[in-house]
Amino acid sequence: MGRSKFATAVALAFCATLLVMLPEVSAKRYIVGGNMGWTSNYNYTLWAGNQTFYLGDWLFFVYDRNQNDILEVNKTNYETCNAEHPVHNYTTGVGRDVVELNVTHDRYFISSKGSCYGGMKLHVHLTPIPPPPRAAPAKSYSSTISVLRTQLVIPAVFTIAAIWDSLLLHV
Ligand SMILES: *[C@@H]1O[C@H](CO)[C@@H](O)[C@H](O)[C@H]1NC(C)=O
Ligand SMILES: *[C@@H]1O[C@H](CO)[C@@H](O)[C@H](O)[C@H]1NC(C)=O
Ligand SMILES: *[C@@H]1O[C@H](CO)[C@@H](O)[C@H](O)[C@H]1NC(C)=O
Ligand SMILES: *[C@@H]1O[C@H](CO)[C@@H](O)[C@H](O)[C@H]1NC(C)=O
Ligand SMILES: *[C@@H]1O[C@H](CO)[C@@H](O)[C@H](O)[C@H]1NC(C)=O
């Protein structure tokens, strides 16, 4: 084994370690409603009840931009489906909107297009103080998220490995 090949092997081993460690520390990105996305005639109270949200996680709203939108409202307006005076309008117009759960208080999201009354409203309550190693929560997170994370992390690791490799080969 040549010197640079050995260095490459070390680099790859390091990246493999990184790959194993990353999911433990990274925030999760939840696709709201899972495979259903953000749509009418779906009960997001039931969906949210199956998730465990922590500070730093992300909500990803996927929907038909011609049919829906995503507004953050206060508790009162969530209960009454009042879209006037939203706390924040997350609608960007492409049907893919991201919300960072970067504050600990409860969050309330609704669609202003009339479907709120049918259940198109989401209340997010954060679980305080995640256990140090983010070990197996009682409710397992959806496989979609694991797949997404893998899709993001693996290319990233291979990019790092490739850059590293090219640097080492030119020493
Ligand atoms: C909640 O999780 C249970 C068990 O995995 C599943 O059967 C049920 O369909 C889930 N409910 C929703 C709304 O995702
Ligand atoms: C929510 O906002 C409305 C104004 O849109 C206000 O009248 C109401 O008091 C607020 N409720 C809470 C709980 O802050
Ligand atoms: C939210 O923002 C989008 C994009 O700027 C805009 O088209 C829409 O009218 C806004 N909705 C509300 C209820 O303010
Ligand atoms: C949370 O994130 C939003 C943007 O996503 C930002 O406007 C806001 O200032 C952040 N709040 C805190 C407390 O970091
Ligand atoms: C959604 O499910 C919850 C829990 O079972 C229930 O309390 C609520 O009324 C449902 N919402 C709608 C709009 O059906």
Side-chain angles (χ1 to χ4, degrees):
M1 197 189 262
R3 190 191 148 102
S4 67
K5 270 195 181 151
F6 176 73
T8 304
V10 170
L12 284 174
F14 177 83
C15 289
T17 309
L18 204 64
L19 179 65
V20 172
M21 288 168 60
L22 260 181
E24 293 301 312
V25 295
S26 65
K28 289 191 194 64
R29 192 176 74 158
Y30 291 90
I31 294 177
V32 176
N35 291 339
M36 294 296 290
W38 181 237
T39 184
S40 53
N41 304 315
Y42 188 72
N43 191 324
Y44 291 90
T45 303
L46 293 177
W47 177 79
N50 260 5
Q51 323 297 326
T52 308
F53 302 106
Y54 292 105
L55 186 68
D57 287 345
W58 298 79
L59 298 178
F60 192 48
F61 290 87
V62 179
Y63 57 94
D64 180 347
R65 62 185 173 145
N66 298 314
Q67 303 277 339
N68 284 302
D69 62 359
I70 175 68
L71 301 176
E72 180 172 1
V73 296
N74 69 19
K75 187 168 191 278
T76 315
N77 292 339
Y78 165 86
E79 283 160 0
T80 57
C81 286
N82 182 357
E84 282 170 44
H85 314 294
V87 174
H88 194 92
N89 178 0
Y90 283 98
T91 318
T92 55
V94 295
R96 302 277 184 278
D97 297 320
V98 172
V99 176
E100 184 180 6
L101 299 176
N102 60 356
V103 285
T104 51
H105 63 73
D106 287 18
R107 310 283 292 272
Y108 301 90
F109 303 93
I110 67 170
S111 163
S112 76
K113 308 287 184 177
S115 307
C116 174
Y117 299 99
M120 200 167 171
K121 46 161 46 179
L122 174 67
H123 168 203
V124 171
H125 174 76
L126 298 194
T127 299
I129 315 161
R134 212 169 144 139
K139 301 165 184 172
S140 67
Y141 21 97
S142 95
S143 56
T144 314
I145 294 153
S146 313
V147 169
L148 269 174
R149 186 188 293 127
T150 307
Q151 283 171 350
L152 291 174
V153 170
I154 288 179
V157 166
F158 276 100
T159 306
I160 294 165
I163 293 167
W164 197 322
D165 200 358
S166 65
L167 287 176
L168 289 168
L169 289 176
H170 291 94
V171 173

